[in-house]
Amino acid sequence: MPPEPASTPLAAPRRIALAYAAFAGAWILLSDRALDLLFADGRLLGTLQTYKGGAFVALTSLLLYLALARDATRRHAAEAGLADSEERYRRLLDGVQEYAIYLLDQQGRVASWNRGAERVKGYCAEEILGRDFACFFPAEALAAGVPAARLAQAARDGQCADEDWRLRRDGGRFWASTVITALRDGRGAPAGYSVITRDITEQRLAARRLAEQEERFRVTFEQAAVGIAHVAPDGRWLRVNERLCAIVGYSREELLARRFQDLTHPDDLAADVAMLQRLLGGEATTYVREKRYLHRDGSVVWIELTVALCRGADGTPKFFVTVLQDISARKRIEAQAQAQLTMLEALYSGAAQLTGNLEVQALADGTARFCVERLGARLAWIGRAEPDGSLRLLTSAPAEFDYPRRIEVRWDDSSLGAGPTGIAIRSGRAQVVDDLGTAAAGRFSPWHALAQAAGLRTSAALPLIHRGEPFGALNLYAGEAGFFTPMRIELFQALANQLAGALAGATLYARLREQAGALERRVAERTAELAAANAALTQQAEQLADLYDRAPCGYHSLDAAGRYLRVNQTELDWLGYPREALLGQSFRALLGEASQRLFDESFACLKRTGRFSDLDLELRRADGTLLPVALSATAVIDAEGRFVATRSTVFDVTERKRAEALVRRLNAELAERAEVTEAANRELEAFTYTVSHDLRAPLRAMQGLSQALLEDYGPVLDATGREYAQRVLAAAERMDRLIQDLLVYSRLGWRELACTDLELAAVLAEARAQVLADPARRGAVVELVEPLPAVHANASLLRQVFVNLLENACKFVAPGARAAVRVWAERRDGRLRVWVEDAGIGIAPEHHERIFRVFERLHGIEQYPGTGIGLAIVRKAVERMGGSVGLASAPGAGSRFWVELPAPG
Ligand code: ADP
């Protein structure tokens, strides 16, 4: 039920009636009670009751009158006001042009119509009043029973509001906002409806447009390919789009909890803040700059930032609108392009340098330095692949890095060739080691550890390829990881290719130069050789010519007819003819008669047998005298076996002839002398015999008799007599010895000697035995040192020689000392030298020659007995056997006698 209106027409009477009832009730209750309390007199009470009744009527009538009068006044005023307000209300309604405001009766017919309705719907009041308001609905709404439904909803809910299409009088549609309110009369019964309709077609369109715009903006904001954000003046992110989140790697929530300062690269912040201050200060309305943000993962993101300040209506800064474009890729490309450009420039200048150089070493040095100084490599080295699989280090830079010199790299299939360099050369493809630290786990850890220790992080081995054949590698190292980008590798490889070409050219150039040099040297050598050969040839020719011309014999060649073809100067000089006089002349014509016959026979024989020799001829000189010559010749035969010429030698035999005559004369004299000598020898032998027998006979008698005298008459003789007898005996013995020695010595002069090959050892052993058999030599030691080879000598003479030498060696020792003798032999220039060494008293050098002479002694006979002939025999005997003797000795230092004899033939 709708609430009853606060002021209904019955309200006032009801209030009056209620006030009356209340007053009357109170009067009845209180007045009687009050009278009863005040007055006890019943009569008085009755009277008073009557008066009281009259007062009550009068009072209530008065009150009633007053109330009614007041109510009437009020109503009148109200009615007057109502009329007034209705008029004003009507005027108000009519003044409302924008709204159609009208009433419907209970059945939905139009009951009132204002100006606005007329304007909105197109009907004037006369046309529409009384018509069903359904005429405002389009056909489809009618078909759906919308008008009735709306009224029913209003009746039920008191009000129904909708927005829907409505029709104008001209059938045109407009979008209407309608509120239908159910009306009730004073008693609350339904009294129709009020309808307020507004044409909001425009607003709707505007709202639509706005919504579309907003959507478009939202979509644009959200789905923009660039990052967009609203940023508060203090830097807080107010609104961010997806793209921005993606660029910086933060979620929307994370971002909204941060300020742009938190993400800005520290180096860019000051400039950023300064720009924002300028915007806030109104110095600029927008700015664009490139800056860096820090991505959530810590990496740097390059951004192109456009900022504009959005101000409120009052001009206070509201927020910044920022547009952020990720230009990291562009920056990277720019950086790469810049790097590429730098490298290309460097390469260009490097290439010019390379191509201008023809020295292999200088080229390699220059390139390695170039890579380090201009292209950013920390270390560069170049190795050349040798045919034996090793890698020769051509160069490395900078010089202080000894790493390349410390490693051993090969390019063959060995384990030392399994590194990047070896692979690069074998495969012809660049090899990059991104991180030497990781690769160090592999088989090349010693090298990589070395490299790392030298501060190198990454390496690239670039093959040097010429005509498709890798022949070395350019190795580069860098200190920072990722240095060898594909682009750098491409450029470095281009450099390596250039270097390879230049190196190949330089090598070729060097080889050519070397070959040219060798050729030049060879030519020079050849020229020198030829010159030397020429000179030698000339010299030889001169020598030959000289030999031919100046030979100590005559040379000539005769043709088949026996005419001079050639003749040497010696022969010309001998004969006294000039050359031209002889050439073409017959040789035979120069001969004496007897010689001519001999020559004819020999010349014929020469043509047959090819030679004759030592033909005794006489040649006639120019002065007519005869020259005795010995002519020999050989035949020069041509290819067909024909005799061509002679090669003849002519010896001047004048001297020979003279010598032959002399020899003949001497021979005759010799024969005569031989006979005399023979006779003398015979006499000498007879004398020797005489000496040995006849001279020794009285001696032996003296010996025998003095011996007998001592034995038989010794007791009767006094001491002096015995001493004389003994001295006679000793003198006789010495005399005998002397005679024997002299005999030996003299025989040596004329006796025939037969020498044979002898065993020296045997001869020495016999001599030693003979010497040591003498009791006077007791205690002497004679050592024969092997080997003692064979010798060519006369056996008995040789034994005599060694007996004499050994005797002396044993004899000439200091008194009381034991003799120690050593004998050994040595070969000398095809001869045999035998040494006899003693440790005796020695001989002063000035006596070395003397002692070999007969009777030369250095000591008295009492001190060292002897004849003074022993060494003379030694020398003579040795010389007769074709040898020689000598010694080395000094007083007190012992003596070393030597005998040199021919070795066996
Ligand atoms: P003899 O031995 O009979 O005196 P030799 O002709 O054999 O005669 O020697 C001549 C001298 O040479 C000797 O008297 C001696 O003075 C010296 N003489 C020879 N052999 C030796 C020797 N082995 N050591 C020292 N003196 C020597």
Side-chain angles (χ1 to χ4, degrees):
M1 279 293 281
E4 201 173 308
S7 169
T8 62
L10 290 177
R14 201 179 290 143
R15 268 201 313 275
I16 294 169
L18 283 172
Y20 176 76
F23 181 75
W27 182 270
I28 294 163
L29 279 171
L30 297 173
S31 59
D32 285 347
R33 195 72 57 89
L35 282 177
D36 279 347
L37 290 171
L38 292 171
F39 305 102
D41 184 1
R43 234 186 78 216
L44 186 58
L45 271 175
T47 312
L48 282 173
Q49 287 281 9
T50 309
Y51 288 134
K52 187 178 71 88
F56 176 77
V57 172
L59 202 56
T60 54
S61 298
L62 181 66
L63 284 171
L64 204 56
Y65 171 74
L66 286 172
L68 286 174
R70 186 166 162 260
D71 185 50
T73 312
R74 268 196 192 157
R75 186 171 300 163
H76 181 74
E79 276 172 3
L82 188 64
D84 187 37
S85 97
E86 259 188 4
E87 178 54 25
R88 267 190 287 147
Y89 183 64
R90 196 187 56 78
R91 276 209 210 118
L92 176 72
L93 284 184
D94 279 345
V96 177
Q97 301 275 324
E98 298 299 313
Y99 292 86
I101 303 171
Y102 56 95
L103 295 174
L104 300 179
D105 63 12
Q106 195 59 28
Q107 282 71 44
R109 288 185 297 260
V110 177
S112 76
W113 199 244
N114 79 333
R115 274 280 163 70
E118 222 176 286
R119 206 183 68 78
V120 172
K121 307 249 187 193
Y123 293 97
C124 64
E126 296 76 42
E127 285 173 322
I128 197 64
L129 285 173
R131 280 184 68 179
D132 195 325
F133 94 118
C135 66
F136 302 138
F137 287 85
E140 65 275 9
L142 288 176
V146 172
R150 291 277 189 274
L151 291 183
Q153 190 187 346
R156 191 179 69 237
D157 300 338
Q159 202 165 55
C160 162
D162 75 340
E163 284 188 5
D164 209 349
W165 288 111
R166 293 287 193 271
L167 289 179
R168 284 202 196 86
R169 180 178 180 265
D170 57 8
R173 292 181 177 214
F174 67 96
W175 187 259
S177 166
T178 306
V179 178
I180 303 172
T181 308
L183 302 176
R184 293 184 185 276
D185 61 12
R187 293 178 306 278
Y193 305 91
S194 72
V195 182
I196 302 173
T197 298
R198 186 168 167 234
D199 180 353
I200 58 165
T201 311
E202 279 304 315
Q203 287 92 318
R204 182 170 186 265
L205 280 176
R208 273 257 182 102
R209 273 198 299 273
L210 194 67
E212 275 171 17
Q213 253 174 15
E214 284 228 319
E215 180 60 11
R216 240 177 288 147
F217 170 74
R218 194 189 62 75
V219 169
T220 308
F221 189 89
E222 281 305 332
Q223 295 177 5
V226 293
I228 306 175
H230 291 172
V231 179
D234 66 357
R236 271 180 301 106
W237 301 100
L238 298 174
R239 185 175 176 182
V240 296
N241 71 348
E242 278 300 321
R243 178 71 191 127
L244 178 56
C245 295
I247 290 172
V248 293
Y250 287 92
S251 72
R252 194 182 296 267
E253 293 69 36
E254 287 172 330
L255 216 48
L256 292 179
R258 283 172 170 72
R259 301 176 317 151
F260 83 87
Q261 293 92 324
D262 303 332
L263 273 69
T264 299
H265 190 285
D267 295 349
D268 292 346
L269 190 56
D272 233 10
V273 171
M275 295 300 264
L276 292 182
Q277 289 306 328
R278 289 190 65 210
L279 286 189
L280 289 169
E283 290 170 54
T285 52
T286 177
Y287 74 82
V288 178
R289 68 182 295 253
E290 288 177 0
K291 63 174 279 192
R292 285 162 294 177
Y293 274 126
L294 293 173
H295 192 272
R296 195 172 195 274
D297 64 12
S299 61
V300 170
V301 187
W302 270 99
I303 295 292
E304 189 188 81
L305 179 73
T306 309
V307 183
L309 179 59
C310 191
R311 291 177 186 275
D314 58 353
T316 48
K318 282 172 73 182
F319 55 82
F320 297 107
V321 178
T322 58
V323 176
L324 307 98
Q325 196 163 0
D326 185 351
I327 55 166
S328 296
R330 194 189 85 200
K331 280 282 181 192
R332 261 197 308 278
I333 290 167
E334 272 176 15
Q336 278 176 4
Q338 189 56 43
Q340 209 162 358
L341 201 68
T342 312
M343 281 196 75
L344 275 173
E345 278 172 8
L347 268 179
Y348 180 76
S349 64
Q353 206 180 324
L354 284 180
T355 46
N357 210 326
L358 273 173
E359 293 292 334
V360 172
Q361 192 58 47
L363 252 174
D365 291 347
T367 308
R369 265 205 319 275
F370 180 68
C371 288
V372 171
E373 289 164 8
R374 299 287 306 278
L375 303 183
R378 178 79 69 85
L379 164 67
W381 62 272
I382 298 169
R384 175 139 66 187
E386 296 293 324
D388 65 356
S390 64
L391 201 68
R392 189 160 73 85
L393 181 66
L394 279 184
T395 185
S396 77
E400 61 267 22
F401 265 101
D402 64 347
Y403 171 68
R405 290 186 290 280
R406 290 177 62 190
I407 61 172
E408 191 192 345
V409 181
R410 297 181 65 81
W411 68 279
D412 55 13
D413 216 358
S414 65
S415 62
L416 290 176
T421 310
I423 297 174
I425 297 176
R426 287 201 302 279
S427 68
R429 282 195 300 279
Q431 301 294 315
V432 177
V433 178
D434 278 329
D435 191 341
L436 291 168
T438 355
R443 158 165 47 150
F444 299 99
S445 48
W447 303 351
H448 290 167
L450 266 179
Q452 277 185 293
L456 307 172
R457 285 280 310 273
T458 173
S459 78
L462 304 145
L464 299 174
I465 304 170
H466 182 62
R467 298 209 171 127
E469 286 292 318
F471 67 93
L474 166 63
N475 289 274
L476 301 171
Y477 298 78
E480 67 269 29
F483 179 81
F484 293 109
T485 58
M487 181 271 293
R488 273 211 176 94
I489 287 297
E490 207 175 302
L491 290 175
F492 279 128
Q493 187 60 61
L495 177 68
N497 292 346
Q498 265 171 344
L499 171 65
L503 273 181
T507 310
L508 196 69
Y509 175 71
R511 206 172 299 146
L512 279 176
R513 221 170 37 179
E514 206 174 289
Q515 275 173 2
L519 218 61
E520 267 171 30
R521 274 198 304 281
R522 189 83 197 92
V523 167
E525 276 169 22
R526 258 335 259 141
T527 311
E529 274 171 24
L530 278 173
N534 249 346
L537 219 61
T538 312
Q539 199 183 356
Q540 225 168 8
E542 280 169 4
Q543 279 172 355
L544 280 175
D546 183 68
L547 259 181
Y548 185 79
D549 268 332
R550 306 280 167 203
C553 64
Y555 286 128
H556 65 242
S557 289
L558 306 179
D559 63 13
R563 287 176 304 235
Y564 272 102
L565 285 175
R566 274 182 299 278
V567 60
N568 78 340
Q569 196 59 45
T570 307
E571 191 169 329
L572 291 172
D573 291 347
W574 283 348
L575 296 176
Y577 295 106
R579 190 180 299 271
E580 355 15 294
L582 280 195
L583 293 181
Q585 284 297 315
S586 162
F587 177 72
R588 193 173 180 281
L590 295 177
L591 296 171
E593 237 172 84
S595 295
Q596 279 183 351
R597 255 198 330 276
L598 200 56
F599 176 72
D600 288 344
E601 283 167 19
S602 299
F603 197 50
C605 171
L606 173 73
K607 287 179 179 172
R608 273 198 320 276
T609 63
R611 67 170 56 239
F612 66 77
S613 51
D614 291 331
L615 204 58
D616 273 329
L617 302 173
E618 283 181 330
L619 286 174
R620 194 170 300 281
R621 291 198 184 91
D623 61 6
T625 57
L626 288 173
L627 174 69
V629 296
L631 180 71
S632 299
T634 54
V636 179
I637 308 293
D638 71 7
E640 277 79 42
R642 283 190 301 262
F643 176 87
V644 179
T646 69
R647 289 184 212 96
S648 313
T649 56
V650 178
F651 282 92
D652 177 353
V653 294
T654 314
E655 281 308 312
R656 198 185 84 197
K657 290 278 177 199
R658 202 175 292 144
E660 278 172 5
L662 188 68
V663 165
R664 271 196 300 278
R665 210 174 58 241
L666 283 177
N667 274 349
E669 276 176 23
L670 211 62
E672 261 173 52
R673 280 207 197 152
E675 260 174 48
V676 175
T677 310
E678 187 72 4
N681 270 352
R682 274 196 300 278
E683 273 174 31
L684 201 64
E685 202 158 353
F687 168 73
T688 308
Y689 184 81
T690 309
V691 167
S692 58
H693 290 92
D694 299 355
L695 210 60
R696 286 179 70 199
L699 269 181
R700 270 199 295 275
M702 282 166 71
Q703 276 176 296
L705 288 173
S706 50
Q707 190 87 42
L709 185 65
L710 278 171
E711 285 170 6
D712 298 344
Y713 297 93
V716 289
L717 286 175
D718 62 2
T720 312
R722 274 199 302 275
E723 196 208 324
Y724 288 164
Q726 258 163 354
R727 282 172 72 170
V728 170
L729 178 63
E733 280 176 350
R734 205 167 62 243
M735 186 66 182
D736 187 36
R737 181 81 192 270
L738 198 61
I739 290 168
Q740 282 181 45
D741 281 355
L742 270 175
L743 278 175
V744 169
Y745 185 75
S746 75
R747 268 193 217 113
L748 279 175
W750 50 269
R751 255 179 56 179
E752 287 288 319
L753 274 186
C755 289
T756 54
D757 292 347
L758 297 173
E759 280 306 316
L760 181 62
V763 176
L764 279 170
E766 280 173 31
R768 176 172 67 175
Q770 189 179 329
V771 171
L772 293 183
D774 186 341
R777 308 284 171 250
R778 189 171 301 127
V781 176
V782 176
E783 186 191 359
L784 304 179
V785 182
E786 295 284 347
L788 296 163
V791 66
H792 190 74
N794 178 279
S796 65
L797 267 193
L798 191 61
R799 189 171 57 247
Q800 182 71 58
V801 164
F802 285 120
V803 165
N804 290 2
L805 289 175
L806 290 176
E807 266 180 349
N808 283 351
C810 292
K811 184 166 61 178
F812 293 103
V813 292
R818 266 172 55 170
V821 186
R822 216 166 138 261
V823 183
W824 75 95
E826 65 180 14
R827 287 192 180 281
R828 270 196 179 208
D829 306 327
R831 293 162 78 82
L832 194 72
R833 181 176 276 203
V834 186
W835 290 87
V836 178
E837 181 190 64
D838 64 55
I841 57 173
I843 305 158
E846 62 268 25
H847 302 314
H848 285 186
E849 184 52 41
R850 220 183 101 190
I851 53 172
F852 286 100
R853 293 203 287 266
V854 180
F855 302 134
E856 291 286 355
R857 306 199 72 238
L858 303 179
H859 308 279
I861 208 140
E862 298 77 23
Q863 203 180 355
Y864 293 105
T867 60
I869 303 176
L871 286 180
I873 292 173
V874 167
R875 171 179 271 179
K876 195 157 199 179
V878 170
E879 281 176 354
R880 290 250 14 225
M881 290 186 287
S884 54
V885 295
L887 81 152
S889 178
S895 305
R896 280 201 280 163
F897 282 85
W898 54 262
V899 172
E900 209 167 84
L901 288 165

